[in-house]
Amino acid sequence: MGRIRWRLGATVFAIGWIAVGFSGTARAWQQSELNEPEGAQVLTQGPIHEAFAEPVLYDPKPGPVVPKASPAPIAELPPDQKPVGANVQWIPGYWAWDDARNDFIWVSGLWRVIPPGRQYVPGYWQKVEGGNQWVPGYWGTPDATQVQYLSEPPGSLENGPTSPQPTSDSTWAPGMWTWQSDQYMWRPGFWVNNQPGWMWVPESYSWTPNGYVSNQGYWDYPFVNRGIPFAPVYFTQPIYGQPNFRYTPAVSLVTSALFSSLFVRPSYSSYYFGDYYAPSNFQSGIYPWYAFHGSRYGYDPLYAHAAAQNFRTNPRWADELHELYRYRREHAEARPPHTFAETRRLAARPTAGSTAVPAAANLVLAQPLNRLAAPAAGAVADPNAPRLERIDAARRQEFARQGTQLNQSREDRLRREQKASHATPATTRPVPRQPESPRSPVVAAPRTGGQQIAPPAAPEHPQLDRTIRPAAPGTAPVRHEPQPDIRPPSPAPAVAPARPAAPAPKRK
């Protein structure tokens, strides 16, 4: 079993051990290619940048308080190659808390194809009693002159679809409480007909110290077409504090492979990827993406879109996803490596390309960016890899300056929201507060000359249900918890469960 694939529309989601032609590439991954300075460790597990993807939480709450203060943002210089397109921008990274290390790791910046009609409002760390707390970012509308901070919405009543799926390509958009006429009213969920090349992200709320922000639903690009995220980094030494230090990410995440090891951590409003199969991870609130979807915590637009696309050609898609998770939970040797250095070492072993019992080296979640641009001889090219263009030094500096501006916007948001929350706490505010909305430097470019494809029209939303009222204080709706997918013991197979081969992928 060397390759496991199936098709998702024009996309191949690799859920299994992906052979990528290691025989001709392992020795080619040199230190100079990776730009991994001494004191830095490139990781192949951790958070996915919030600007690349975020789950939808039904009842967002303040995040955990961590015992340390985050360092200052790292100065990043973007790579000298970017995806082709006028609407591709560089979004800098940020610090994220890592429980296992009891320390911060750096979520590297990324190249992002900006969703039409959106601007990125970055998250930030704030000092609170007992430590520090993450306030997540979100994709907002750039035309708003004010931000409306609302009181906490009532507990969600969403329990999944209330009517049959109209077409095999439809996805369910969950219901939610909507602020109207100085009160919350329930808007039922509804079916959305997927459009080729697009994915619907439902409306949601983001928690802030100043109240809750309502984010309108919008059309985004499918996961594998959103740009290039890069692997997170753990700095074993604080080299980022040295004068004139600048970090350039060089190890890109393989987006078509991330679905094989994708998880959700609701407490941090974040997706995670990599080896989080151990039961302790589930107990700490890191759930497989399919377990999170439809649970009491929220809705996974990535899973909803993938399921709708895959079920047409493979009715066992969800079963195979569960089987793979269970297999890796029980077989540590089949899990992906934790660092890129481990990936390289395992890839260099003579048995790495074997079709016998698969090793973790055969699951590649990251690769050098220059290999994405020019695969080595013998390597299997990723059909979903974006076309890249080289940018000169002046253009890189321009993107770096934009990253600096975004970090300034991050600090500006922190000051504005803390000042407003101290003036009038959100919990005692009878009406929404609407301070001025700062404009983010990361905003979708206007369509010019027909170079950008307009998104589909927003789906028609159902009318508010005026007969439903919020539950009494202290009561909560009944919804099922995420399940660890543990079934009665059965004889373990000698190798991973077999997967049917899919037709060769078609390029767009």
Side-chain angles (χ1 to χ4, degrees):
M1 172 182 165
R3 301 173 188 169
I4 304 169
R5 297 181 184 164
W6 59 86
R7 196 173 166 195
L8 176 59
T11 300
V12 175
F13 281 173
I15 301 186
W17 293 269
I18 304 175
V20 294
F22 270 125
S23 59
T25 63
R27 289 182 294 275
W29 292 355
Q30 302 298 326
Q31 184 76 12
S32 59
E33 286 184 298
L34 304 182
N35 193 31
E36 187 176 19
E38 184 177 354
Q41 187 180 55
V42 177
L43 307 178
T44 50
Q45 68 168 166
I48 294 177
H49 198 298
E50 65 178 10
F52 199 75
E54 280 188 296
V56 173
L57 303 182
Y58 289 150
D59 302 306
K61 304 292 183 183
V65 176
V66 304
K68 298 181 181 180
S70 67
I74 293 176
E76 285 183 320
L77 180 65
D80 61 0
Q81 295 184 83
K82 63 175 283 290
V84 174
N87 199 33
V88 177
Q89 299 188 37
W90 176 256
I91 300 179
Y94 55 90
W95 293 104
W97 181 252
D98 185 272
D99 305 86
R101 294 179 172 84
N102 197 38
D103 202 356
F104 286 94
I105 62 175
W106 180 251
V107 180
S108 300
L110 74 154
W111 292 115
R112 180 64 153 100
V113 185
I114 308 301
R118 298 283 113 180
Q119 69 168 349
Y120 172 57
V121 180
Y124 62 85
W125 285 99
Q126 67 163 350
K127 185 174 179 57
V128 297
E129 183 178 356
N132 292 267
Q133 185 178 52
W134 177 249
V135 179
Y138 59 89
W139 285 101
T141 54
D143 53 352
T145 58
Q146 293 181 317
V147 180
Q148 187 179 52
Y149 294 97
L150 302 166
S151 59
E152 183 177 0
S156 174
L157 304 178
E158 176 60 31
N159 269 307
T162 57
S163 62
Q165 185 180 20
T167 69
S168 60
D169 199 30
S170 300
T171 58
W172 177 257
M176 68 175 297
W177 292 103
T178 299
W179 183 265
Q180 189 175 83
S181 303
D182 297 332
Q183 62 179 321
Y184 280 107
M185 305 189 71
W186 181 253
R187 191 203 65 209
F190 59 100
W191 289 102
V192 177
N193 292 326
N194 284 321
Q195 305 296 322
W198 297 95
M199 191 188 86
W200 179 251
V201 178
E203 186 175 356
S204 63
Y205 285 102
S206 294
W207 170 83
T208 81
N210 197 33
Y212 290 77
V213 177
S214 175
N215 307 316
Q216 298 178 5
Y218 63 96
W219 289 105
D220 203 343
Y221 302 97
F223 189 72
V224 296
N225 303 126
R226 293 184 178 185
I228 301 177
F230 290 85
V233 182
Y234 177 58
F235 288 91
T236 56
Q237 303 174 26
I239 58 176
Y240 48 80
Q242 298 174 355
N244 302 318
F245 178 86
R246 300 188 97 180
Y247 179 70
T248 297
V251 177
S252 61
L253 300 181
V254 183
T255 53
S256 59
L258 294 184
F259 285 92
S260 67
S261 297
L262 191 60
F263 298 80
V264 178
R265 193 173 194 181
S267 60
Y268 283 97
S269 303
S270 181
Y271 284 103
Y272 278 59
F273 75 99
D275 180 9
Y276 292 97
Y277 294 94
S280 59
N281 291 306
F282 194 98
Q283 295 162 5
S284 66
I286 303 177
Y287 308 115
W289 60 319
Y290 63 80
F292 168 81
H293 182 73
S295 72
R296 73 183 185 91
Y297 289 107
Y299 171 92
D300 190 335
L302 298 181
Y303 181 87
H305 184 261
Q309 298 295 310
N310 275 292
F311 284 156
R312 291 181 298 177
T313 56
N314 183 11
R316 294 200 70 252
W317 179 81
D319 291 336
E320 292 171 348
L321 191 65
H322 293 210
E323 290 169 7
L324 182 61
Y325 169 79
R326 290 193 295 272
Y327 185 85
R328 287 181 177 159
R329 188 191 62 237
E330 299 166 1
H331 297 80
E333 75 281 359
R335 302 172 188 171
H338 294 185
T339 69
F340 193 68
E342 293 175 9
T343 300
R344 296 170 66 198
R345 287 195 297 269
L346 290 172
R349 294 179 182 177
T351 58
S354 170
T355 57
V357 178
N362 298 112
L363 181 62
V364 179
L365 303 182
Q367 65 178 344
L369 179 62
N370 61 359
R371 292 303 173 196
L372 180 64
V380 178
D382 183 353
N384 305 298
R387 292 189 302 116
L388 301 182
E389 61 181 358
R390 192 169 295 277
I391 55 177
D392 58 26
R395 187 70 172 131
R396 292 178 73 192
Q397 292 294 340
E398 182 180 343
F399 279 118
R401 284 192 294 271
Q402 179 176 289
T404 301
Q405 293 171 2
L406 186 72
N407 285 328
Q408 293 171 349
S409 173
R410 190 190 309 271
E411 294 297 320
D412 184 45
R413 182 192 173 197
L414 165 63
R415 288 191 297 269
R416 288 171 182 265
E417 292 188 345
Q418 286 195 329
K419 180 180 178 180
S421 66
H422 291 161
T424 310
T427 54
T428 61
R429 192 182 311 132
V431 295
R433 180 184 294 276
Q434 300 188 49
E436 181 183 356
S437 173
R439 186 174 179 84
S440 169
V442 177
V443 60
R447 293 192 302 116
T448 57
Q451 296 180 357
Q452 299 176 38
I453 301 176
E460 184 176 351
H461 291 51
Q463 297 293 320
L464 298 175
D465 190 335
R466 301 179 183 274
T467 65
I468 297 179
R469 293 291 181 265
T475 63
V478 178
R479 290 189 298 273
H480 65 275
E481 296 273 359
Q483 297 300 313
D485 202 13
I486 297 176
R487 299 185 181 183
S490 59
V495 297
R499 300 289 183 272
K506 297 180 180 178
R507 293 182 179 273
K508 292 185 177 180

